[in-house]
Amino acid sequence: MHSPIKPPAMEPAELAWRDGVPESTRFGDVYFSRDNGLAETRHVFIDQNHLPDRFAGLAPGQPFVIAETGFGTGLNFLAAWAEWLRHPPANDTGTLHFVSVERYPLTHRDLKKALSYWPELQSQAEELLAQYPPLIQGVHRLVLAAGRVRLTLYFGDVLEAWDELEFHADAWFLDGFAPSLNPDMWLAEAITRIRSHSKPGTTLATFTAVGRIRRALAEAGFAMQKVPGFGRKREMLAGQLPPASHEQAEDIGAIAIIGAGIAGTLLARNLAERGRQVHLIDQGDAPGNAASGNPQGALYVKLGVEYNAQTELAATALSFSQRFYEPWQGQFWHPTGLLQLAATEQEADRQRRFLARNQYPTEVLTPVSSLQASELAGLPVEHSGLWFPRSGWLEPAKACGNLAVHPRITRHSGFQVTGIHQESGQWRLTNNTGQELRATTLVIAAGHQSAELLDATGELRLKSIRGQISGLPAEAFNLPQTVICGTRYLNPAMGPRAVTGATFDLRNDNPEETLESHQENLDELVNLLPSIRKESLPDPQSLSGRVAFRCASHDYLPVADVFTDDAGKDIDRLFLFTGLGSKGLAWAPLLAEYLADRLTSQPACLPRRLSKRLSSARLYRK
């Protein structure tokens, strides 16, 4: 008897391998043809959707969206990706978006074995395997091929996925097992949702030639026909919606971003890699000079006891950020792992309840005893806790500087915005010296200064929270080899120092370091981790640190949304990206991806139940 799986873990596929072909024991059907699965995929999905010609005919920067009803082994996705590389669009600046759903995802081990049969797809398979997400429910966005390919993978029910995801497909791969073996995949409700996610001219193809499926798709508006199937299968179905008489060209003018912290630089880089021209504006002399300017910062979220929307958003952000930063390992990303200690009785009780109610894959987190924590940290630890093996620490200011370097990003340092006006379909920005910039779209990502830049008549519930860090001389402390989090955080040494902090000062606007804050950091750190102390603690007067002001919303969730005024009206082409609080390094990559999706009218990487939590309208008191 299997014990029931608790959220957010997913029940994996159970496979039987027969003659080298994976078969679902649940559905009694194979994942791909015993004759030649890749040739079948190319015949059924690539050729019948006319993808080579359609890819090559795309305009510069134009995305192409494929949606699929069953991810399985990922073979269809890898075949489409390979075809995209063989027939690139004009200037090779488009993005292939692949949206797929899987109720019973393969484990990493099974996926690796299944894809080993296709050596011609090895490079794509290796990248997919390196990015393959933990088996937790919800949406996972994978950014592949240096941003040229994006996979939105929904682990869960197919009907729920089509209700939650925001996209319009250019082509459908109606995969999944045979209708007789998997009837839920082919319900009329599913076909209705497929139609709602399609645009004029959308094509589809499916293995099946079942009459009721053909009739249901025809009733939904697709012009259906039977075409020759693959191998021993005599027939299959292909269809298309009537094309539009004309398509309105999208306005792809420049996008201006105010704020060059981690939020602004991540969004600028994301948009630039999608082919957009970006003006990155900041009053500082270099990126990352405000709240994102600390020399070290932990990649960390605190997952809730209940797996609700807020916890799902945090878990999704953490997983995405770990994948996102991986290419910069050794530059500004250091994946040492992270220990979240149960350093107080309150936190110990919270972690006990958390572990009783939730089940996360071990690659996300695992509970550890004080002895195990000591072995991981490399010094004695008195508390049990949670181990996050894929987390670590970053050099935030260095990250901002690296992210801001791209041919399509124009940096405007030392530009203090004093006026924002919308006129003739453009935003006009002026500074204190009379300089002027114009852009079609404006994003305000200026941290705690965002509210004062907006012409908002109602009070926005954003608050500034002072935080002071302290730099610890490495020779004076026993420092850990992994990040430690509790009432304070402590990073491993970076050269001669390690950063600890930060204070959480809600009613203090002093921008200067204080001895009191250094003393508070030392006291809290020694209480958390007594073993860091050598013979004696250094005098707080000898410590140097830094003060920055985090921006948090009233509910401590970020804001990543079109800006809504206090009358409930969305302001055209004005977006707000702020409120990341003390977890900005973990929040920012996912939310930059989400905003870039919206700004470029591409499939959203967040489901509706989570994206509504990022609304700017919630900042006003009702």
Side-chain angles (χ1 to χ4, degrees):
M1 290 289 291
H2 292 292
S3 58
I5 291 179
K6 293 176 286 189
M10 291 293 297
E11 185 178 358
E14 294 184 1
L15 304 186
W17 295 84
R18 306 186 194 281
D19 301 322
V21 175
E23 179 179 307
S24 168
T25 59
R26 179 174 284 104
F27 298 111
D29 202 0
V30 294
Y31 278 87
F32 45 72
S33 167
R34 295 186 185 279
D35 297 329
N36 189 324
L38 181 55
E40 182 181 44
T41 287
R42 286 171 174 160
H43 173 81
V44 174
F45 297 123
I46 305 297
D47 294 344
Q48 301 306 322
N49 280 296
H50 314 291
L51 295 186
D53 290 341
R54 295 172 74 187
F55 288 167
L58 292 172
Q62 184 178 355
F64 192 93
V65 181
I66 299 172
E68 178 188 50
T69 48
F71 188 72
T73 65
L75 177 60
N76 298 339
F77 165 61
L78 296 185
W81 176 358
E83 207 67 33
W84 177 261
L85 298 180
R86 275 194 291 268
H87 304 277
N91 296 341
D92 202 13
T93 57
T95 304
L96 174 64
H97 279 266
F98 199 95
V99 183
S100 190
V101 183
E102 184 53 62
R103 175 63 182 84
Y104 300 101
L106 270 66
T107 64
H108 188 277
R109 183 181 62 184
D110 283 339
L111 185 68
K112 182 177 181 180
K113 182 176 179 180
L115 295 179
S116 67
Y117 290 95
W118 316 112
E120 56 266 67
L121 299 175
Q122 182 180 355
S123 62
Q124 287 83 26
E126 288 177 351
E127 191 169 351
L128 172 62
L129 287 163
Q131 293 272 328
Y132 194 59
L135 301 193
I136 57 177
Q137 58 191 240
V139 182
H140 303 271
R141 167 62 61 81
L142 278 62
V143 180
L144 303 155
R148 296 165 66 195
V149 175
R150 282 175 156 82
L151 171 62
T152 303
L153 187 53
Y154 191 101
F155 286 161
D157 178 74
V158 67
L159 297 182
E160 179 185 88
W162 302 149
D163 285 340
E164 286 285 347
L165 295 173
E166 297 182 78
F167 69 94
H168 286 94
D170 295 287
W172 281 92
F173 292 2
L174 298 188
D175 201 353
F177 299 111
S180 60
L181 300 172
N182 191 12
D184 289 345
M185 185 75 81
W186 299 99
L187 290 172
E189 289 90 337
I191 291 176
T192 299
R193 288 164 173 80
I194 287 168
R195 175 64 181 85
S196 70
H197 282 290
S198 302
K199 60 182 71 169
T202 292
T203 62
L204 62 82
T206 177
F207 293 111
T208 187
V210 174
R212 66 184 177 89
I213 302 301
R214 177 178 54 80
R215 290 189 295 273
L217 288 166
E219 288 172 7
F222 289 91
M224 300 300 301
Q225 60 177 325
K226 290 183 178 180
V227 297
F230 177 80
R232 290 170 286 184
K233 191 167 180 58
R234 190 162 58 90
E235 293 178 320
M236 57 166 283
L237 295 176
Q240 182 175 14
L241 286 177
S245 56
H246 65 278
E247 290 191 29
Q248 185 175 354
E250 182 186 359
D251 186 345
I252 57 171
I255 298 171
I257 299 171
I258 301 177
I262 194 67
T265 54
L266 276 166
L267 180 58
R269 181 61 169 256
N270 198 311
L271 290 165
E273 289 181 348
R274 298 191 198 210
R276 300 305 171 96
Q277 297 296 324
V278 181
H279 293 288
L280 183 60
I281 303 160
D282 196 79
Q283 63 183 3
D285 295 331
N289 72 325
S292 300
N294 290 341
Q296 290 182 291
L299 187 67
Y300 169 62
V301 298
K302 196 165 187 176
L303 300 172
V305 171
E306 304 297 334
Y307 196 74
N308 52 25
Q310 185 167 341
T311 304
E312 182 180 354
L313 189 58
T316 303
L318 179 64
S319 180
F320 182 86
S321 64
Q322 291 166 347
R323 292 193 299 273
F324 177 85
Y325 291 128
E326 188 60 29
W328 283 284
Q329 183 173 341
Q331 297 180 51
F332 58 75
W333 166 233
H334 307 275
T336 58
L338 179 146
L339 282 166
Q340 180 188 336
L341 298 182
T344 65
E345 185 49 47
Q346 181 183 13
E347 177 60 18
D349 177 65
R350 194 195 76 85
Q351 289 193 15
R352 282 191 292 268
R353 290 182 288 116
F354 170 83
L355 291 169
R357 299 180 193 181
N358 297 274
Q359 182 177 342
Y360 285 85
T362 55
E363 63 260 44
V364 178
L365 65 90
T366 187
V368 292
S369 65
S370 59
L371 178 59
Q372 291 169 319
S374 300
E375 292 172 349
L376 291 165
L379 76 171
V381 175
E382 296 182 354
H383 308 285
S384 62
L386 302 175
W387 168 243
F388 293 80
R390 295 186 176 179
S391 279
W393 60 277
L394 294 100
E395 300 172 61
K398 190 175 180 180
C400 293
N402 285 15
L403 291 164
V405 177
H406 191 281
R408 296 190 190 94
I409 298 176
T410 303
R411 289 163 49 183
H412 304 270
S413 300
F415 193 107
Q416 185 170 356
V417 177
T418 56
I420 298 175
H421 306 280
Q422 192 175 30
E423 54 186 45
S424 303
Q426 284 199 317
W427 290 98
R428 182 169 62 88
L429 312 178
T430 53
N431 71 357
N432 53 347
T433 65
Q435 288 180 284
E436 184 177 294
L437 281 173
R438 291 180 180 267
T440 302
T441 302
L442 174 62
V443 182
I444 295 179
H448 72 283
Q449 297 177 317
S450 296
E452 63 192 60
L453 290 169
L454 292 160
D455 185 18
T457 55
E459 181 184 354
L460 298 174
R461 289 184 289 176
L462 293 170
K463 51 193 171 188
S464 175
I465 304 173
R466 179 184 182 272
Q468 180 174 318
I469 60 169
S470 301
L472 307 181
E475 73 275 3
F477 292 89
N478 298 312
L479 295 173
Q481 59 194 21
T482 186
V483 181
I484 305 286
C485 286
T487 52
R488 284 296 185 272
Y489 70 83
L490 174 63
N491 293 297
M494 183 179 73
R497 294 202 320 165
V499 168
T500 189
T503 60
F504 193 88
D505 309 320
L506 269 170
R507 296 174 180 85
N508 185 344
D509 59 1
N510 182 4
E512 302 298 327
E513 296 174 51
T514 68
L515 291 179
E516 292 79 10
S517 291
H518 283 311
Q519 187 66 60
E520 180 185 333
N521 282 335
L522 278 178
D523 292 343
E524 291 287 349
L525 186 58
V526 171
N527 287 335
L528 173 69
L529 204 63
S531 59
I532 66 159
R533 182 201 296 263
K534 286 191 173 179
E535 294 181 1
S536 62
L537 292 176
D539 190 316
Q541 295 189 61
S542 68
L543 300 182
S544 61
R546 188 173 183 276
V547 173
F549 291 87
R550 320 172 186 98
C551 178
S553 68
H554 63 290
D555 58 9
Y556 291 96
L557 280 177
V559 183
D561 190 26
V562 65
F563 181 65
T564 304
D565 66 19
D566 60 344
K569 179 187 176 184
D570 291 347
I571 305 303
D572 188 39
R573 297 182 181 276
L574 176 62
F575 289 78
L576 182 59
F577 187 12
T578 189
L580 278 65
S582 60
K583 308 294 191 295
L585 297 176
W587 283 121
L590 177 68
L591 302 188
E593 179 78 3
Y594 168 69
L595 269 185
D597 290 340
R598 293 189 61 181
L599 287 163
T600 58
S601 301
Q602 296 182 34
C605 65
L606 289 176
R608 289 186 173 94
R609 66 175 177 271
L610 300 188
S611 61
K612 67 182 181 182
R613 300 278 173 164
L614 307 172
S615 162
S616 67
R618 77 181 204 278
L619 297 178
Y620 300 102
R621 297 184 187 277
K622 302 299 182 185

